């Protein structure tokens, strides 16, 4: 046993990021400005979309999307229960109602075959979450959007590199929100980006992201002379600032290199865990590009003398940091209390809630680290074998 925990995640920050930050600190301009603009431009180029709006989080992007789409009291938004609370909190903030549908076992994405039966006159949007970086069934989602006049707001916190049938996530739905939180595929510490191809929407989102005033602060004192701002709508304080963008500009350049390293690790995990009775693996579909944000194993507790939490604790005790993505939101105290959800209504989400474990998956990992994770997981399962 080791006393030091091998971390579940570590960011990969290079000399370039640090140099850029120091230069910006010395420049005297710290808030939203030229670095944010450059990061937004490079990000839009990477996605292939018209507009990318830098924000202080993916959560902010999801919230602004709902606000700008006019989603308010009494409206319903269809989403997955296997996600982070940010996805549904912003719906509740708008006094709208999150409507869950159960997930599919192959990907843990929402089962799109279940969407249409939940659409009624109050339904205003579908909010797909591309779990672990595996895109949801966007053909079905976009067809339903057209047929029922719904807005598609994507939670792409895991899905920066993802493609669906050769089309980039962030360039298909109406609004897509990405995360640069510390554990995500690229990071700005905290941060997010919202993409859209709709010019009017982009203009509105920019205004909403910075107090609802008409001009960006950094343009107000430009070479055109002093410009007054005007308050157009009660906005939010959600803007990205240049110190974040300094990280983002250089992280984005490495996005595919990082992914390639994670793919190598995924390959080794797959080889090691395929055919192990106590483990079930997810089954990616064909015709997609997976962003491999998470590597999830499903521990088949019916073949073990221990619950998932006991297995998870033992792996941690043996020195490997692991995580759980996610326990189904419908059984969280808030949803049980305010939406009266009970056990049994989403059998797939509940089954996987009790069995998923996420293993470390990041470019800083060495081959030796990967071996140690594999051995620790297999030894632990052996210990609890029936
Ligand atoms: C990380 C995460 C978010 C929130 O991202 P922030 O940038 O921290 O706001 C939202 N949804 C999912 C699925 C996430 O994993």
């Amino acid at each position: 046993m080791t006393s030091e925990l091998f971390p579940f995640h570590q960011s990969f920050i290079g000399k370039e990021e640090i140099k850029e930050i120091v230069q910006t600190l010395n420049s005297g301009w710290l808030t939203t400005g030229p670095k944010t603009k450059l990061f937004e431009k490079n990000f839009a180029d990477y996605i292939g979309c018209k507009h990318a709006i830098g924000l202080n989080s993916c959560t902010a992007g999801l919230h602004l999307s709902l606000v700008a789409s006019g989603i308010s009291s009494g409206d319903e938004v269809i989403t997955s229960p296997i996600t982070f609370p940010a996805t549904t909190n912003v719906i509740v903030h708008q006094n709208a109602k999150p409507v869950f549908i159960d997930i599919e076992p192959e990907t843990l994405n929402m089962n799109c075959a279940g969407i249409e039966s939940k659409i009624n006159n109050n339904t205003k949007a579908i909010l797909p979450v591309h779990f672990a970086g595996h895109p949801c069934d966007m053909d079905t989602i976009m067809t339903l959007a057209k047929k029922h006049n719904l807005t598609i707001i994507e939670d792409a916190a895991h899905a920066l590199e993802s493609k669906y049938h050769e089309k980039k996530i962030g360039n298909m739905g109406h609004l897509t929100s990405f995360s640069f939180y510390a554990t995500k595929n690229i990071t700005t510490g905290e941060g997010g980006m919202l993409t859209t191809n709709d010019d009017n929407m982009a203009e509105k989102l920019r205004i909403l992201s910075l107090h609802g005033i008409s001009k960006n602060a950094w343009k107000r004192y430009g070479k055109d002379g002093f410009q007054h701002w005007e308050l157009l709508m009660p906005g939010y304080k959600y803007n990205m600032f240049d110190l974040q963008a300094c990280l983002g500009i250089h992280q984005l350049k490495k996005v595919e290199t990082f992914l390639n390293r994670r793919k190598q690790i995924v390959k080794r995990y797959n080889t090691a865990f395929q055919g192990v009775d106590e483990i079930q693996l997810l089954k990616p579909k064909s015709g997609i590009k997976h962003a491999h944000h998470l590597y999830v194993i499903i521990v088949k507790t019916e073949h073990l003398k221990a619950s998932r939490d006991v297995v998870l604790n033992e792996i941690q005790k043996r020195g490997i940091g692991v995580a759980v993505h996610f326990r189904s939101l419908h059984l969280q105290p808030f949803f049980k209390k305010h939406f009266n959800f009970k056990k049994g209504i989403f059998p797939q989400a509940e089954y996987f809630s009790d069995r998923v474990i996420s293993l470390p998956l990041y470019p800083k990992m060495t081959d030796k680290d990967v071996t140690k994770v594999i051995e620790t997981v297999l030894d632990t399962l052996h210990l609890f074998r029936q």
Side-chain angles (χ1 to χ4, degrees):
M1 285 207 194
T2 39
S3 54
E4 206 159 294
L5 192 70
F6 178 73
F8 173 69
H9 185 84
Q10 289 174 280
S11 301
F12 194 114
I13 303 293
K15 287 194 186 75
E16 310 77 35
E17 283 90 326
I18 293 164
K19 198 172 148 204
E20 194 82 48
I21 290 222
V22 172
Q23 277 176 355
T24 296
L25 286 172
N26 286 329
S27 80
W29 189 274
L30 305 188
T31 184
T32 309
K35 303 290 177 190
T36 305
K37 279 281 154 264
L38 180 62
F39 183 35
E40 288 175 340
K41 190 197 169 295
N42 294 352
F43 194 89
D45 287 347
Y46 175 68
I47 300 292
C49 62
K50 274 175 93 173
H51 305 280
I53 298 153
L55 300 171
N56 58 18
S57 71
C58 169
T59 308
L62 293 170
H63 187 213
L64 283 189
S65 297
L66 294 167
V67 173
S69 307
I71 287 161
S72 61
S73 188
D75 292 340
E76 296 186 4
V77 178
I78 295 174
T79 192
S80 170
I82 296 291
T83 184
F84 190 66
T87 317
T88 51
N89 282 348
V90 292
I91 301 171
V92 176
H93 291 332
Q94 289 307 103
N95 290 316
K97 183 181 169 192
V99 174
F100 293 127
I101 55 171
D102 209 352
I103 54 156
E104 54 182 24
E106 296 83 8
T107 62
L108 310 191
N109 278 332
M110 61 181 182
N111 185 344
C112 292
I115 295 177
E116 195 159 27
S117 67
K118 299 274 179 137
I119 296 175
N120 60 42
N121 287 337
N122 296 325
T123 311
K124 293 287 151 53
I126 304 174
L127 205 169
V129 181
H130 306 296
F131 180 83
H134 189 304
C136 293
D137 178 2
M138 290 303 290
D139 277 348
T140 302
I141 290 169
M142 295 316 293
T143 305
L144 289 172
K146 255 200 190 129
K147 185 171 164 193
H148 298 278
N149 195 24
L150 304 174
T151 305
I152 304 305
I153 300 166
E154 292 166 75
D155 182 336
H158 302 177
L160 175 56
E161 305 91 335
S162 305
K163 285 183 185 173
Y164 177 84
H165 298 175
E166 298 305 315
K167 281 194 217 128
K168 196 82 195 62
I169 293 299
N171 203 9
M172 296 182 71
H174 304 117
L175 297 147
T176 307
S177 195
F178 296 88
S179 176
F180 311 127
Y181 179 68
T183 59
K184 297 294 169 23
N185 289 357
I186 67 169
T187 187
T188 61
E190 300 275 358
M193 193 75 81
L194 187 54
T195 64
T196 182
N197 286 318
D198 180 329
D199 297 344
N200 293 331
M201 188 56 110
E203 179 67 19
K204 193 169 173 186
L205 290 165
R206 283 201 183 281
I207 293 166
L208 277 170
S209 73
L210 195 66
H211 303 296
I213 60 179
S214 54
K215 294 273 179 225
N216 288 335
W218 72 286
K219 282 188 193 156
R220 262 187 260 144
Y221 314 102
K223 52 182 177 310
D224 305 333
F226 188 89
Q227 288 185 50
H228 285 290
W229 50 258
E230 290 183 319
L231 179 64
L232 304 174
M233 51 187 105
Y236 301 85
K237 180 69 169 115
Y238 282 168
N239 55 303
M240 176 177 279
F241 69 113
D242 274 17
L243 291 181
Q244 291 170 301
C246 286
L247 294 172
I249 288 163
H250 293 285
Q251 288 271 299
L252 186 62
K253 289 181 187 163
K254 303 176 215 176
V255 62
E256 295 294 324
T257 317
F258 286 170
L259 173 61
N260 284 334
R261 176 60 188 149
R262 291 198 307 281
K263 272 190 194 160
Q264 292 174 345
I265 299 169
V266 166
K267 228 181 190 167
R268 287 202 52 206
Y269 281 159
N270 282 342
T271 307
F273 299 134
Q274 251 148 21
V276 175
D277 284 343
E278 294 81 7
I279 296 177
Q280 183 183 324
L281 298 177
L282 299 180
K283 292 188 197 71
K285 296 179 180 176
S286 57
I288 62 116
K289 179 182 176 189
H290 200 309
H292 295 294
H293 172 57
L294 300 171
Y295 190 87
V296 173
I297 59 168
I298 296 127
V299 288
K300 293 206 253 174
T301 48
E302 39 289 311
H303 297 307
L304 295 168
K305 287 182 291 197
S307 68
R308 184 270 316 277
D309 288 353
V310 170
V311 173
L312 180 155
N313 266 312
E314 183 63 28
I315 295 173
Q316 294 235 124
K317 248 197 252 165
R318 290 168 180 240
I320 303 295
V322 288
V324 172
H325 301 90
F326 294 99
R327 285 149 69 227
S328 192
L329 283 181
H330 76 284
L331 295 178
Q332 291 295 319
F334 169 76
F335 278 106
K336 287 209 287 200
K337 189 168 167 206
H338 293 277
F339 291 83
N340 205 22
F341 285 129
K342 302 225 160 38
K343 227 180 154 87
I345 51 173
F346 302 119
Q348 296 292 352
E350 291 170 22
Y351 179 90
F352 291 100
S353 282
D354 293 338
R355 287 166 181 79
V356 286
I357 297 180
S358 302
L359 304 181
L361 177 65
Y362 49 93
K364 250 195 179 176
M365 290 176 78
T366 64
D367 288 341
K368 250 173 103 180
D369 295 332
V370 180
T371 304
K372 186 163 178 249
V373 174
I374 291 169
E375 284 174 1
T376 306
V377 168
L378 293 177
D379 287 351
T380 303
L381 290 172
H382 192 77
L383 184 72
F384 295 119
R385 195 166 281 167
Q386 269 187 349

